[in-house]
Structure formats: structure tokens, C-alpha cells
Amino acid sequence: MYRVRLLFAAALLLSSLLLCHSQVVVSKTSAEKLTLDLSGFTTGSRGMAPLFVKTLKADLARSGWFEIVARGQGAITVVGSYEHVGKNLEVNCSTYNAVTKRKYMTESFWGAASEARRLAHEVSDAIVEAVTGRKGMSDSKLVFIGNRTRHKEVYTCDADGMNVKQMTHDRSICMSPSWGPSGNRLVYTSFRAQFPDVYLVDMKTFKRERIARFPGLNNCADISPDGRFIALTLSKDGNPEIYIMDLRSRKLTRRLTKTPNASESSPSWSPDGKQIVFVSDTAGSPHLYIVSVKGGARKRITYTGSENVEPDWGPDGRILYSSKRLGRYEICIYDPQRGDDSQLTKGDADYEDPCWAPDGRHIACARLIRYQSSLYLLDTMGDAPVRLVNLGGDVHSPSWISN
Amino acid sequence: MSLGTKYLIGLGCVLVLLSAAGCRTPTVGPDDMLDPRDIPIGHRFENGTRVKDANLVPVLFAYDSYSVSPAERHKLVVASEYLRSNRAMTVVLEGNCDERGSREYNMSLGERRAIAVRNYLLGLGVPNSRMQTKSYGEEMPADTRHNEQAWRKNRRVAFAVYE
């Protein structure tokens, strides 16, 4: 044991000497990164250990903050152990700055033996948060639509695109899935009873309830950040408009738009739950507008692009959307506080249905090439796009658990 | 006049005033939910059996548009006459879009197209209670190819007649 410690101390010293000038790797094709040495992670027992380490490594790399480097070459050092204790796994993990020796975190993690991957996601998020002060995205879930069975069904997967599960068996058309806070509940639209109705699913019991079945269209439900309301599109009054429903009483409490000669869609709540961004074609083509949940005047926020659609108001206050520019759909970001607008993608494909990852840095979206749709992870800080799910058929309409 | 009577009269006055005030106070909820220009969609009806030989031709639309062009109006006249001579029949107006653009917006646009057709048929005397609107957005293309010709066919409102 003493020898191990001595070796470890020597390695630390060496790495701090070697790495004074290589803490940050900058290249033109990726974001700025801290070098991270994972080699100090020992795995006493066999079985799932390689899967755990492989997953942790992939998660830390995907987080965008780190470049995983060889033993002794990291500005950040992760040491720890991974052991089977009865039917459980126990992970102990410490993270240090190799140069200053400052300890970022020391934590223990427990889980069932079958949960090596989920445990790795948890450890990765803890390391990201301890070192960068930012939330991680690995221990989280996505929901999306796929047509592998020739029907459009709702699927879920982990943040790394693995662990895909088919959630609905409606044998119909499902669309617009969206999580409630903490992922306890999910809303989606299905034609399973002939017409487009909104369903609410309890993710613990998988109990499903049809909560909006008005005449005409029921679609685009989005659960408020406090989980008490949904915003949705209904056409029952003679035109597609945005309404708010109280999820406890199932009563409509407010109608936010009155535009008999235009149609509205895609409401998304602001993180404080006080405003809604939505799509309206009152100007002749679809653009984004913001309105208070108490009603009142709407404010148009997009003027560039021939169509601006599918807004997602993120945890840090920035609004993601898809904008048609020079004939292509591009992912754009609007910051309501600063009033500025930026374009993330650059015309190599059509990018649609964007949604924020819980880290406020990454984006999941549909990428269309020759009318084939797949899910991609984009990085707002410069890392190359990564394909998320390999399911077969078209996959689209992703939504990420927000917290 | 006893004290009790005075008390009762006083209470009565207060009640009358309160109820009068109640009449003048606008009701908050429902007023907020309606617009004078609304023509609500009729209640959903049980579909019955699909009539396969109605042969009503779908109404076509321009890109991102829900207005019924003059060239398409004769189809609505034919549909209204068919429904007038088959009074037991109901119709689901199925709004559709081409595959380009946002799926969610296309659901609303398809619904708006179906509503445009409903409003026109209302004007031609077809009762609201015999019509339902239903949007498929871009999910049910009539032609699955990816070109202008297919897109033109897919931007449509189809008449699904039931008896």
C-alpha cells in the first residue's frame, strides 16, 4: 500500500512538472479542454468493471470539458476504486488538480451490480460539477419519436444514446413528447383514439391518462417548470391557439392567443415559469413570439430567417430554435436578456427539433440528410456533432429531462 | 319598528347592493377564454362506417398557406351538394402538409387548412355538427416522393365521409 502511495505521489509530481504548459489544449475543431488522467482508477473486481471505466471515459470526453490523456499527463487527476460489495457496486472517487494539488471532490457512489453504466454517468456528472462548477448531462434521459416498427412510437434512452427503450405500443402516430421536471412525468400526443389527443404518463407506474381530448387538435403539450401546468395547442374554439391547463384540476385556466386568422404551435416555458415562447404565423410565415403566462401583449423575437420554429427555452434562459436560412433549417440561439442571436449550424444538413441538455451547453436535435432523420448531439462550445441513437428508421423530436 | 326589524331591513339592503354589484362585476374565467370571432369545432361524433364511393376530390393549398384559392372552390361546392343530398352522413376534414418544415407547426397548419374548409362549407349551408376537423400534419402524405409534384399533392384537405 505504501508503495502504491509513493508511486502515486511520484506520478503526481511528475505530471505537475510535465504539464505546466499543456493544461489547456486548444485546437480549431474542438472546444478548449482540460487534460484529465483517469489511469488512477483501479478496479479490484472483474465483471462489469471494464464497462464502468469505458462508460466513465466516454462520458467525461462527451461532457466537452476534458481531454482524456495517458497516465501522468493530465492537469486533472482522477483516482478511485470500483468494487463489488455483495450484490452492489461501490465506487470511491477523488479528483485533484495535478498542479496545485487542490482536491475538487471525494465521493462514494452505490448502485446495484447491473447498474455499472448508470453509476458511471453519476460519477462523470459529479466530476464535471466539482471541476467546472457546471451541471453535467450524463445521468439524464432523452425521449424521442422513432418509426422502426412502421408506427410512430415514443422511445427513451440515456444521455449517451444507449439503453434505448420503446415506451409506447400505440400502433398509431405519436408526436411531441416532452418531460416534466425531474423526469417523473411525460406528455405526448397520440392518434391511438383516432384524433390527436394529449396523454400524460407517470414514469414510475407507467400509468397513462388522456388529459386533452377536445374537438379538433390537441398537441404540443409542455409541462411548466413547477410541474403544475401544461401549455398546449388546442383548436376547439375554431382555430389553433395556445392555452394553459391546470394539471391537478385538468381545467383550462387561460387562453394566451386570439388569432382567428393565424395558427399557433410549440409553446415552451421560460425557466422561471412566467413566460412562454411559441410559434405563430400572424406575420404570414411562422416566427417566434414571447407572451406572459398571465396573458397580455405578445412580443415578436425573430426577424431573420424565412421560418423560425420549434423553440426550447433552456435552463440558463437562452432560447433554442430552428431557423430556415438560405433554404436550410439551422439551429439558432436567442438570448432574451442580451437580445442577441447566433447561428450554430452551418448549412451541411437540415437541423430541426432542438432541445437543451441539462448542462446548458449541449443540444440534442434531429439532423436530416436526404429526408432521413437521425438524432445528434451538438456542442455550443465547438466540439464536433455526435450521432446519438442508432435505432433504424427515422428518429426525431428529442426532449431532454431538464433537471 | 323593533331593533330586529331594522336589522333585517339593513341586511336586506346589503344583500340587494351585493347582488347588484355581482351583476356588474364581469365574470373572470370564461370571458377570458373566448373571442367574439370564434366558431367552435363541433363535438366529436362516433365515426360510423367510412363511405368509400363518395369520390370527393381533396382541396389543394399553396406552401405555408391555408387560404382556399378560387380555383379550388368548385370542389367545396361539390362536397356541400353531396352532403346536402346525403343528410345522414358526416365528414371528417383531414388537413395535411408537405414534409418540409416543423412537424409541430405543420400539425397546426394542417388543422388551420381543415378549419378553412369547414368555414367555407359552413357558408355553403353544411351544419357545424356534421363536420369534424383532424390534422395529420406531415404524417400521412398521399405521395411519399420528395419532390415538388408530391408536395403539391400532399398539401391538401381530404374529405373522409362516414354514415
Side-chain angles (χ1 to χ4, degrees):
Chain A
M1 196 62 199
Y2 176 74
R3 254 183 71 187
V4 174
R5 273 192 201 155
L6 195 70
L7 271 174
F8 175 64
L12 262 183
L13 189 70
L14 194 66
S15 61
S16 61
L17 287 172
L18 281 171
L19 280 161
C20 288
H21 297 286
S22 57
Q23 285 185 44
V24 176
V25 174
V26 186
S27 73
K28 280 178 185 164
T29 51
S30 69
E32 287 192 3
K33 291 176 192 306
L34 290 160
T35 51
L36 186 140
D37 173 8
L38 254 184
S39 62
F41 218 106
T42 58
T43 50
S45 44
R46 292 173 185 205
M48 305 292 265
L51 177 65
F52 173 86
V53 175
K54 193 179 148 204
T55 308
L56 179 61
K57 199 169 167 179
D59 282 355
L60 288 168
R62 196 182 290 104
S63 80
W65 302 108
F66 307 113
E67 187 193 352
I68 313 299
V69 291
R71 179 182 296 266
Q73 294 184 12
I76 307 290
T77 308
V78 177
V79 294
S81 63
Y82 169 103
E83 308 281 348
H84 282 270
V85 181
K87 283 183 179 172
N88 290 322
L89 296 174
E90 187 188 344
V91 175
N92 289 295
C93 176
S94 295
T95 306
Y96 300 90
N97 181 314
V99 180
T100 64
K101 307 286 185 295
R102 183 188 151 205
K103 182 158 69 175
Y104 295 110
M105 56 86 92
T106 298
E107 243 182 285
S108 296
F109 302 84
W110 280 86
S114 56
E115 292 190 315
R117 281 177 27 81
R118 201 193 52 74
L119 216 55
H121 296 329
E122 223 181 293
V123 174
S124 172
D125 285 353
I127 293 172
V128 167
E129 191 158 353
V131 176
T132 68
R134 307 265 304 248
K135 237 172 106 69
M137 64 163 172
S138 291
D139 189 22
S140 181
K141 276 190 183 303
L142 282 154
V143 62
F144 59 93
I145 300 292
N147 70 350
R148 183 179 59 166
T149 61
R150 288 186 298 118
H151 300 287
K152 294 222 162 174
E153 304 282 8
V154 180
Y155 294 80
T156 58
C157 70
D158 293 350
D160 57 2
M162 309 289 275
N163 195 20
V164 174
K165 285 179 184 151
Q166 185 176 337
M167 204 197 79
T168 60
H169 296 83
D170 289 6
R171 303 177 66 81
S172 177
I173 306 165
C174 295
M175 55 177 70
S176 300
S178 183
W179 293 104
S182 314
N184 292 334
R185 290 184 292 180
L186 192 146
V187 278
Y188 75 103
T189 304
S190 173
F191 281 74
R192 67 193 299 269
Q194 306 300 322
F195 284 91
D197 293 326
V198 173
Y199 294 82
L200 176 74
V201 184
D202 183 317
M203 291 305 285
K204 285 194 190 105
T205 60
F206 289 98
K207 217 185 107 207
R208 171 176 49 197
E209 225 180 311
R210 183 156 55 147
I211 55 167
R213 50 190 294 189
F214 296 98
L217 178 68
N218 304 261
N219 194 27
C220 309
D222 191 46
I223 303 181
S224 64
D226 65 6
R228 288 171 59 206
F229 299 94
I230 54 168
L232 75 171
T233 308
L234 302 173
S235 70
K236 66 180 189 70
D237 290 321
N239 192 56
E241 309 275 6
I242 310 282
Y243 297 77
I244 307 275
M245 179 190 276
D246 184 327
L247 268 181
R248 199 173 298 163
S249 68
R250 304 286 153 79
K251 292 223 163 64
L252 296 174
T253 54
R254 214 169 276 275
R255 172 172 168 182
L256 291 181
T257 60
K258 287 173 184 169
T259 55
N261 293 312
S263 53
E264 273 76 29
S265 68
S266 309
S268 174
W269 295 82
S270 64
D272 65 4
K274 288 181 178 163
Q275 289 175 297
I276 302 246
V277 60
F278 63 97
V279 172
S280 173
D281 61 7
T282 27
S285 52
H287 286 286
L288 303 189
Y289 295 79
I290 289 177
V291 70
S292 160
V293 292
K294 292 187 174 147
R298 52 161 73 185
K299 186 186 158 216
R300 182 171 166 183
I301 57 165
T302 54
Y303 292 91
T304 315
S306 56
E307 291 175 22
N308 293 298
V309 290
E310 290 160 353
D312 183 42
W313 208 324
D316 68 355
R318 291 183 296 167
I319 297 169
L320 265 180
Y321 64 101
S322 183
S323 180
K324 195 173 187 184
R325 299 182 177 181
L326 303 171
R328 285 272 199 208
Y329 288 92
E330 309 281 5
I331 303 296
C332 295
I333 304 168
Y334 175 77
D335 186 337
Q337 258 105 52
R338 293 159 56 190
D340 65 21
D341 192 85
S342 57
Q343 183 181 328
L344 186 66
T345 53
K346 305 278 184 256
D348 62 317
D350 283 301
Y351 292 90
E352 299 182 35
D353 308 326
C355 67
W356 284 109
D359 65 359
R361 165 174 176 164
H362 289 88
I363 292 162
C365 67
R367 182 174 186 259
L368 281 98
I369 296 225
R370 275 173 252 108
Y371 303 99
Q372 292 286 301
S373 179
S374 35
L375 287 195
Y376 268 77
L377 181 75
L378 309 183
D379 180 19
T380 57
M381 294 176 74
D383 274 0
V386 181
R387 189 168 173 183
L388 269 180
V389 178
N390 210 339
L391 188 64
D394 282 311
V395 284
H396 53 82
S397 308
S399 165
W400 218 310
I401 295 178
S402 55
N403 56 338
Chain B
M1 205 184 275
S2 73
L3 199 66
T5 322
K6 268 188 188 166
Y7 175 74
L8 276 176
I9 290 169
L11 187 70
C13 287
V14 168
L15 280 176
V16 166
L17 278 173
L18 273 179
S19 60
C23 289
R24 271 185 267 114
T25 312
T27 42
V28 183
D31 270 11
D32 213 35
M33 300 293 262
L34 291 172
D35 183 278
R37 297 160 294 182
D38 288 343
I39 309 168
I41 310 286
H43 290 294
R44 283 188 186 171
F45 41 74
E46 292 300 318
N47 278 349
T49 320
R50 178 77 185 260
V51 177
K52 293 214 171 107
D53 57 357
N55 296 323
L56 298 174
V57 186
V59 180
L60 303 183
F61 292 82
Y63 183 65
D64 264 3
S65 165
Y66 51 79
S67 63
V68 179
S69 70
E72 296 292 306
R73 282 176 194 160
H74 67 280
K75 296 175 180 173
L76 294 165
V77 175
V78 171
S80 72
E81 280 164 2
Y82 182 87
L83 291 166
R84 193 171 303 132
S85 48
N86 295 282
R87 290 187 182 274
M89 291 184 186
T90 55
V91 64
V92 176
L93 306 165
E94 298 176 343
N96 293 269
C97 303
D98 69 38
E99 64 191 335
R100 294 171 295 171
S102 155
R103 287 171 199 278
E104 287 192 350
Y105 172 67
N106 280 343
M107 281 295 289
S108 286
L109 180 61
E111 182 71 7
R112 194 63 193 74
R113 283 176 178 160
I115 287 166
V117 166
R118 179 203 66 154
N119 292 352
Y120 205 92
L121 290 175
L122 277 177
L124 293 173
V126 181
N128 203 23
S129 58
R130 289 175 65 196
M131 296 186 281
Q132 279 286 297
T133 56
K134 180 180 190 175
S135 178
Y136 282 112
E138 61 182 84
E139 308 295 336
M140 298 281 264
D143 187 333
T144 54
R145 291 172 304 158
H146 311 293
N147 57 37
E148 285 292 346
Q149 208 187 341
W151 294 333
R152 194 180 151 270
K153 254 195 248 175
N154 293 339
R155 294 189 299 264
R156 71 200 191 279
V157 171
F159 301 93
V161 180
Y162 294 86
E163 64 179 347

